[in-house]
Amino acid sequence: MTRLLDVENLAKSYAGLAAVRHVSFGLDRGEILAMIGPNGAGKSTCFNMLNGQIRPDAGRIRIDGVDTTSLPPRAVWRKGVGRTFQITATFGSMTVRENVQVALMSHGGALGRWFGRADTRGRDEADRLLALVGMAADADRAAAELAYGDLKRLELAVALANRPKLLLMDEPTAGMAPRERVGLMRLTAEIARAEGIGVLFTEHDMDVVFEHADRMMVLSRGLLIAEGPPETVRRDPEVRAIYLGEGLVYDARHQEARADASTSGPQPEARA
Amino acid sequence: MQLVFVQFMTGLASAASLFLVASGLSIIFGVTRIVNFAHGAFYMLGAYVAYTLTDRFTGAFGFWFALLAAAAIVAIVGCLLEMTLLRRIYQAPELFQLLATFGVTLMVQDLVLLIWGPEDLVGPRAPGLAGAVEIFGKRIPSYDLFLIALGPLVLAGLWLLFHRTRWGVLVRAATLDRSMVAALGINQKWLFTGVFGLGVFLAALGGALQIPRDAVNHGMDLRIIVEAFVVVVIGGLGSTTGAFVAAILVSQLNAFGILVLPKISLVLVFLVMAVVLVVRPWGLFGTRPPPAQASIGMAVRPWRPLAPGEIAVAAAVVAAVALMPLWLGHYALTVASEILIFVLFAASLHLLMSVGGLASFGHAAYFGLGAYGAAFVVKAAGLPMLAAIAAGPLLAALGAAVVGWFAVSLSGVYFAMLTLAFSQIVWSIAFQWVDVTGGDNGILGLWPDAFAASPAAFFWLTLAVVTPALVWLHMVIFSPFGYALRAVRDSELRAEAIGIDRRRVQWIAFVIAGTAAGLGGALFAFLKGSIFPDVMAIPTSVDGLVMVLLGGVETVLGPIVGAVVFKALAMWLISQTDYSKLVLGAVVVALVVAFPKGIVGTLADWRDRLTARRGAGPSDAEASADATAAEPPAGTMAPAPSPATVAGRTRP
Ligand SMILES: Nc1ncnc2c1ncn2[C@@H]1O[C@H](COP(=O)(O)OP(=O)(O)O)[C@@H](O)[C@H]1O
Ligand SMILES: [Mg+2]
């Protein structure tokens, strides 16, 4: 049986700067794969190539055996790929529920209709997804007024709307309080295991990675330098070198992010 | 062969002024990200001031001094404008910037009329360059040769300025990355003012240099601004070299168009522009523009369709309007019909600019196409009025389908300029294709059928057509398609990532909006009994934008309120004063700066504040007071913090 995601020799440069250099990896159904690496390692670039946002310079991407390398994002989405963005992208003028409803309507092929009210379509399913990510109470709020952590949750609900086979989550927990991070990833892992969804995510918080990832891969300056179960990768000398070298900076940033997260906006009550 | 040479030289000479204006526009945009609609007004002012000064200062020295002094004076006026107006709107959505500078254009038109009177003014010849030089057996005016040499000289001068002076290097740095300049500790405010002054100087000089060639007149501003838009769109917004090359291209097309294809000479330039845009969307020398700073129409208060109670109120309003013929006279009823038609026009534009985030500066084209479509059906096919009102919008739909297909590949100011340019094509066709459209004389004798001949009957007919159309537009907004349209406006990235085809959705919206506008145009033709090209000129398009803005660009019902208030106000003004443009322009500027939410938006804010105060406990009231305090002070118009800025804060 073909793998859910099969990436071969993926490469991308920006004006001479090699952001991603011939990276190959795969992902199975129901598997949770963490991609880690310092800032600028090329993680987001990889994600953007996987969902068609950026066209790779070289390499091939297959999803469920189908070549999606040169497809635009909307076509990749139709193949069953949901994603969240490092910098969240939601429809600010709509309510939280409407954000999910739009994704549901798009999945059901209803967005071309000029007649009939949209706000009653897929309402129950939207509420179910929102409840799943712990946003049920915010369904009628405008997305523009959400705190950052809640936006990440909303993005997850939107990404689940097309019943994806593959979920791409670029820093899903960035900007969240530590407790929230673990909660969100635990939730994602549960959903993924229950529905057999493959998850690829990037994450700076190693606690989250070690707790939830089945496998991890390490990217550094666009190169894949290690791959395997978390226990093995953790002991890899090259990885240790990178993270030791980066260690201080990394920890400092980490602390800062936490501090910011705990002061930015009203904290939602603990969920999940 | 000789004729070709003469035309070629004339084209080159015309390119000089066009290049000056376009490069000024481009430089200002590069640094401030403002597309200065008032650039044409500064060009015109440069010419008028130069006319006055050359009258005062004669002789060789006096003449050239007068030209430079005129440009300098206008540049100072430009700096003052930048300091008092533009500084307040740098953060505002592009539409507001375009509108504010258009408001200034309107004001300048009347000011020029006040100061210099309505006649065309003929300036002196350039001393020493009044003659002609014989080249290849043809006499070429010396002044043209001077202009031909001037273009490359100015280009070289600008290059030196931007590459060899500290100030110029800073300007270039600011063009690439504005945050960098702030980081270098440069006073960004004065850099912007300086750049704006330079751009205005170039425009005014371009105008001043025209006085030995052409009479100074009132149409100069809009004519040059449309050409300058075309030039920067072809050359690439922000590129001086692009402006130079494109100015020559456009001028040559104009010069040879008249020679080779006189029937379509006006259209030729726009056709070339369309081709360039298909091949290189950001112009020959341009680069992809940064994403728009703030999209218009982004309401923080989510929209909802009318509740049953509100529908009852709306129905009551329609019923009350339907009773108006019982107490209004003939003239008032005609005015009321016209207002209704413009309500539909504004609502159609609202679908595009508020729901779709695409501010068209050429929406009048589809209004006009609907009107001409109806006229053709009556004149050529001899069909009755109702058939014409049904068929007219088809021509508008066709036009919108063609233009929209090009336009939706762009966004923001590019979209605005492109739609403006296309509306000028349509206008040129109506103006130039005399056999079919009657040209300037228009098409006359489009009287309603007997049953609708009385003003009351026509009013009822208008109401019976406009009301369902408005209901339909309202339904579209809240249909799944309307959500898709808002989705691509709010976040193209997210929309594409959930399977929405942005271009397709926006193209369909463009066609719907154009068709609805065309329906209004068809009614308009019968209301007036005639149709002229000017109905689709720029002012009509801008009227539509102002109506939507006045009503409240972030609201659903704004265009209806805005159109009624604006149209009534405009008609009243014209009856009261000869300087209605001055007042109107000031109103537009004031709206943008002090009242950006419009009538309905402001009312909704008040209502929200009231309910917050009346409802629930003190904590709620506090929260709403906080929200008010957190709002930017009136007049600064900082966009609401977007998720991206929040992200920027949490993850440096
Ligand atoms: N649009 C772009 N243009 C130029 N360089 C880019 C662009 N996007 C990313 N890069 C560069 O590519 C490298 C990888 O970036 P990215 O994929 O965002 O890394 P990560 O997500 O791992 O932090 C970085 O050096 C970054 O500066
Ligand atoms: Mg990243």
Side-chain angles (χ1 to χ4, degrees), chain A residues 206-244:
Chain A
M206 289 307 129
D207 298 341
V208 176
V209 172
F210 288 122
E211 190 174 332
H212 295 293
D214 299 319
R215 215 153 44 89
M216 63 189 285
M217 48 195 276
V218 184
L219 228 55
S220 172
R221 297 181 191 190
L223 281 174
L224 184 59
I225 59 166
E227 191 193 344
E231 303 316 311
T232 330
V233 173
R234 199 209 290 259
R235 283 192 297 271
D236 186 305
E238 205 180 344
V239 175
R240 293 185 79 96
I242 284 176
Y243 273 91
L244 278 178

Side-chain angles (χ1 to χ4, degrees), chain A residues 39-40 42-45 86 170-171 202 204, chain B residues 651:
Chain A
N39 268 347
K43 304 183 296 294
S44 293
T45 305
Q86 179 170 351
D170 197 357
E171 310 216 359
T202 66
H204 282 294
Chain B
R651 281 192 53 79

Side-chain angles (χ1 to χ4, degrees), chain A residues 39 51 53 73-74 77-78 83-95 98 102-103 105-106 110-119 121 142 148 151 155 158 171 174-175 204 256-257 260 264, chain B residues 297-306 472 475-476 478-484 486-502 504 508 512 641 643-644 646-647 649-652:
Chain A
N39 268 347
N51 92 310
Q53 208 90 44
R74 55 176 184 275
W77 182 80
R78 300 235 173 256
R83 81 162 287 183
T84 67
F85 292 94
Q86 179 170 351
I87 294 172
T88 55
T90 55
F91 308 131
S93 74
M94 299 183 198
T95 65
E98 286 170 340
V102 171
M105 284 187 278
S106 180
L111 278 182
R113 290 175 203 216
W114 298 355
F115 291 98
R117 276 174 55 169
D119 58 343
R121 282 175 178 271
Y148 196 57
L151 281 173
E155 279 216 313
V158 168
E171 310 216 359
H204 282 294
E256 203 176 19
D260 272 353
S264 74
Chain B
M298 275 278 279
V300 177
R301 194 178 298 110
W303 289 354
R304 53 179 183 75
L306 292 181
W472 181 59
M475 280 169 61
V476 169
F478 291 100
S479 71
F481 174 79
Y483 274 78
R486 279 161 65 194
V488 293
R489 174 197 73 192
D490 282 6
S491 171
E492 179 182 353
L493 193 64
R494 170 49 71 196
E496 289 273 344
I498 57 167
I500 301 175
D501 185 342
R502 176 189 67 82
R504 195 184 134 80
I508 293 172
I512 296 178
V646 179
R649 226 180 302 135
T650 43
R651 281 192 53 79

Side-chain angles (χ1 to χ4, degrees), chain B residues 237-323:
Chain B
L237 206 41
S239 161
T240 322
T241 316
F244 184 74
V245 173
I248 291 179
L249 182 68
V250 167
S251 300
Q252 291 302 352
L253 280 170
N254 279 335
F256 283 100
I258 299 213
L259 209 61
V260 186
L261 302 161
K263 288 242 146 122
I264 60 156
S265 62
L266 289 172
V267 181
L268 202 58
V269 169
F270 297 106
L271 286 179
V272 170
M273 179 185 73
V275 171
V276 168
L277 282 171
V278 171
V279 183
R280 290 187 61 97
W282 320 120
L284 295 174
F285 293 81
T287 48
R288 194 189 175 87
Q293 335 176 293
S295 153
I296 49 161
M298 275 278 279
V300 177
R301 194 178 298 110
W303 289 354
R304 53 179 183 75
L306 292 181
E310 291 164 325
I311 292 177
V313 172
V317 170
V318 173
V321 171
L323 292 178

Side-chain angles (χ1 to χ4, degrees), chain A residues 32-36 199-203 209 213-218:
Chain A
I32 300 180
L33 173 61
M35 182 189 275
I36 68 163
V199 180
L200 176 66
F201 75 111
T202 66
E203 179 59 69
V209 172
D214 299 319
R215 215 153 44 89
M216 63 189 285
M217 48 195 276
V218 184

